[in-house]
Amino acid sequence: MSAEIICVGTEMLLGDILNSNAQFLAQQLAQLGIPHYYQTVVGDNPERIKKVIEIAISRAQILIFTGGLGPTPDDLTCETIADFFGSPLVERPEVIEDMTRKFAQRSRVMTPTNLKQALLPQGADILPNPTGTAPGIIWQPRPEVTILTFPGVPSEMYRMWEETAVPYLKSQGWGKEIIYSRSLRFWGIGESALAEKVAPLFDLSNPTVAPYAGKGEVRLRVSAKATSETAAQALISPVEQQIKEIAGLDFYGVDHDTLSSVIGRLLRSSGETLSVAESCTGGRLGQILTEVSGSSDYFWGGVISYDNSVKVRLLGVNPQDLDKFGAVSATVAQQMAVGVKSRLSTTWGLSITGIAGPTGGTDTKPVGLVYVGIAGPNDEVASFEHKFGATRNRDFIRYVSANTALDTLRRRLLAR
Amino acid sequence: MSAEIICVGTEMLLGDILNSNAQFLAQQLAQLGIPHYYQTVVGDNPERIKKVIEIAISRAQILIFTGGLGPTPDDLTCETIADFFGSPLVERPEVIEDMTRKFAQRSRVMTPTNLKQALLPQGADILPNPTGTAPGIIWQPRPEVTILTFPGVPSEMYRMWEETAVPYLKSQGWGKEIIYSRSLRFWGIGESALAEKVAPLFDLSNPTVAPYAGKGEVRLRVSAKATSETAAQALISPVEQQIKEIAGLDFYGVDHDTLSSVIGRLLRSSGETLSVAESCTGGRLGQILTEVSGSSDYFWGGVISYDNSVKVRLLGVNPQDLDKFGAVSATVAQQMAVGVKSRLSTTWGLSITGIAGPTGGTDTKPVGLVYVGIAGPNDEVASFEHKFGATRNRDFIRYVSANTALDTLRRRLLAR
């Protein structure tokens, strides 16, 4: 019993897009304990898609398709599969209803071409698409062949996979031994430094411990093989404890935790509030904080003081200090934090000023130089200098700056 | 004459890494005009690798392998290929020399396991690896089959491709025709709606026109086959013109253009400035605007008025109107835009207030309801209501809201 991933789309043959769907599905199949040995990418071409199906059914029992379910003429996956297995396409009224409703919600008009998406192979079950308009199918055209189709749009595919495909695959009793993983997340420590601290754990066989360098952060993935999630968790948790003790404050969360969700929990529990003042990040810090639903409980807002005039007008930064120390300085970072804290009357004020590049760097103030300011209760105020390296690009420097500011607050809140 | 990309590595079957090599090679083959119709991913397993080779040589003449050239026991690509074509492996002294030199440079000791990398199929040419220790091969085991192998490490693979593979492939006279593409970008129109407007163009053969749905936007890819980039552009430009005329203001840019880069050009040329007031997007609008290096020329900053108190204090929104119409209303959107414009004394003020969800929606004000406000010269002020659909997630609604605000300004600036 094995699965095969088939990604359909000429855009992948042209290199227009990165095939992230294959990686997602591969991870998911591993977690479900369903082996898969091949991944194939093929263009929007019926004859070639059929050849791929022919090969796939000769070596796998579950065929997972992504891409080619859309409304346009080059979206051919569903009809080609039906054609291959000699099954007619049948229009599904429930799909048309669902599409009509979604178009209405978005106050857009449904065009005749969309009706194409309602044509599914006879006998196939609908694999509902909660977010988009193109549904997938779960179909056994032959006793030994099971087909699942998904749109190429990752966000739509993910939800369809999690909400319908996973329960279905489990219900079939496929994947007896599961692989369950916990991802431990760290900020403010490098991959090699962390790896050295936990080196002995890399020799473990079940669970295994493996390091991954994420964007500006490091993760340790602890994976256990077991017959149930509970059994796997029992294997993982002592190792997880050990790692947390070794890492101390460099550890910030697990799995889907983010620095902003962790800070959210801390601020909510202490009943405190936060405001931000951003220069080089231009709003990214606020954006990351408000990625958390319900963040309005503790995040009140902030000022994007991209131009110096805004630093003076809305944050009360001293113009003489701006001239004397420059916008990218510890002094200005502190005044920004104090300014936003007092003007929005929040418990904490967090600020960022720096040089994101690629231009604007000097010998004394190179690209990647960033100051984080923090203002808190009892007139507490501090600033921290960071050098994120002139070799990094603008996006990376802005991303790391915003998250480093969050990490600064996180450590401060935990230090009490 | 076509090529096939074969990526070897169990880590891809486990979803540990994203297969960016396939995308790179796909782009490169397209640029060289060498057609390729299939990509395969297979694990580090000799039997399965052989099956893949068997299939590949039945449908392609150039087989491009990445991965599995390293020193560890699970690196089996080269020996498996040799085995498949019944060729012995021969140790190449020049490879050993090269490895010895590189290990010395890095003041590391070469281990016996590395010698494995010097074993290449009899008759194969070495495909030198300037940065790493594992060389690739260029080999014609049969007259109609050409094999190129590369390590999985992208940086090593790229250089080997550019320095040796490209000249070789050109020298073989393959890929006389290049494929050149332009990506036309649209905002504010759905994929099916746009597809119907330009439907006749989908029948063109050279250039071809194909639609892609991006995140909240639609793209049309115009691809031409020709002997030179100039010749390809000559084929594309009339079609591009035609599409632009059909799409009107829904068209916003090409290739790497973004709504923020387009707005940047417009504001810079008119010497005007912009500020933003954000509620549900929490800073995302400012962040997107400042993704453009040099945006400080026209973007001065803004206010993240997440909490209503900030709308009143920093933007001068009328508290009575907040009570009467609610924070998510046309009135408040307009007052936010006017407020930020006047307090930051910019030419334009752009505002967003809405319900990003997943919570906070009501029957009258559902999740996805967003108001964009715009204030401009001569006390001009307007607001626009959008319904992005309650089925969309928070991130999507925030992303589309921010870009829709940019699109509103773009259309306003172009309408003059």
Side-chain angles (χ1 to χ4, degrees), chain B residues 390-411:
Chain B
T391 61
R392 295 298 194 172
N393 67 27
R394 181 178 179 84
D395 174 69
F396 183 90
I397 290 169
R398 279 152 47 92
Y399 177 86
V400 173
S401 300
N403 282 285
T404 299
L406 293 175
D407 190 55
T408 306
L409 176 60
R410 178 186 68 88
R411 289 170 188 260

Side-chain angles (χ1 to χ4, degrees), chain A residues 10-20 23 26-27 30 36-43 48 51-52 55 59 71-75 101-103 105-108 111-114 130-132 153 156 159 212 221 276 278 281-284 286-288 290-293 295-296 299-307 309-310 313-314 342-345 357-359 394 398, chain B residues 12-20 22-23 26-27 30 36-43 48 51-52 55 59 179 188-193 195-196 202 210-213 221 223 276 278 280-284 286-288 290-296 299-307 309-310 313-314 342-345 357-359 387-394 398:
Chain A
T10 303
E11 63 270 34
M12 283 174 286
L13 297 181
L14 293 169
D16 282 345
I17 63 165
L18 197 53
N19 187 2
S20 60
Q23 184 187 25
Q27 285 170 336
H36 95 285
Y37 304 117
Y38 306 93
Q39 297 169 4
T40 309
V41 173
V42 60
R48 296 193 192 106
K51 281 186 191 161
V52 167
I55 294 164
R59 58 191 187 188
T72 60
D74 66 339
D75 293 310
R101 194 170 43 74
K102 282 171 178 156
F103 273 94
Q105 278 173 346
R106 293 162 205 175
S107 42
R108 278 193 180 164
T111 62
T113 47
N114 287 95
T131 52
V153 182
E156 297 182 10
R159 271 195 70 176
Y212 294 97
R221 198 171 85 190
V276 299
E278 305 185 57
T281 45
R284 184 145 206 177
Q287 186 226 315
I288 294 174
T290 53
E291 276 169 0
V292 181
S293 173
S295 46
S296 53
F299 178 68
W300 283 16
V303 171
I304 303 169
S305 55
Y306 211 57
D307 190 77
S309 66
V310 183
R313 281 192 193 174
L314 293 194
S342 66
R343 300 203 177 199
L344 272 66
S345 0
T359 58
R394 180 177 178 85
R398 280 154 45 94
Chain B
M12 284 176 286
L13 297 182
L14 293 171
D16 285 343
I17 64 164
L18 197 53
N19 187 1
S20 59
Q23 183 186 24
Q27 284 168 339
H36 95 284
Y37 304 117
Y38 306 92
Q39 297 168 5
T40 308
V41 173
V42 61
R48 296 193 192 107
K51 280 188 192 160
V52 167
I55 293 165
R59 57 191 187 187
I179 299 176
I189 184 169
E191 182 181 15
S192 48
E196 282 182 13
F202 295 147
Y212 298 105
R221 190 175 201 290
S223 308
V276 299
E278 305 186 57
C280 64
T281 46
R284 184 145 205 175
Q287 186 225 316
I288 294 173
T290 54
E291 277 169 0
V292 181
S293 174
S295 45
S296 53
F299 177 68
W300 283 15
V303 171
I304 303 169
S305 55
Y306 211 57
D307 190 77
S309 66
V310 183
R313 283 191 192 175
L314 264 55
S342 66
R343 303 211 171 190
L344 273 66
S345 3
T359 58
K387 287 179 176 151
F388 295 123
T391 61
R392 295 298 194 172
N393 67 27
R394 181 178 179 84
R398 279 152 47 92

Side-chain angles (χ1 to χ4, degrees), chain B residues 90-102 110 114-120 126 133-136:
Chain B
V90 182
E91 187 172 86
R92 302 297 179 92
E94 58 267 64
V95 175
I96 296 178
E97 270 169 41
D98 178 64
M99 282 196 292
T100 320
R101 196 170 38 76
K102 282 173 179 154
M110 184 167 75
N114 288 97
L115 293 175
K116 181 172 171 294
Q117 300 179 150
L119 295 171
L120 305 182
I126 295 168
T133 56

Side-chain angles (χ1 to χ4, degrees), chain B residues 215-233:
Chain B
K215 192 176 181 185
E217 72 170 35
V218 187
R219 263 170 269 142
L220 288 178
R221 190 175 201 290
V222 189
S223 308
K225 261 196 178 154
T227 51
S228 74
E229 196 168 304
T230 330
Q233 282 164 334

Side-chain angles (χ1 to χ4, degrees), chain B residues 323-342:
Chain B
D323 294 339
K324 191 169 161 204
F325 303 104
V328 180
S329 62
T331 312
V332 169
Q334 294 192 10
Q335 290 181 14
M336 287 169 68
V338 171
V340 77
K341 171 187 182 294
S342 66

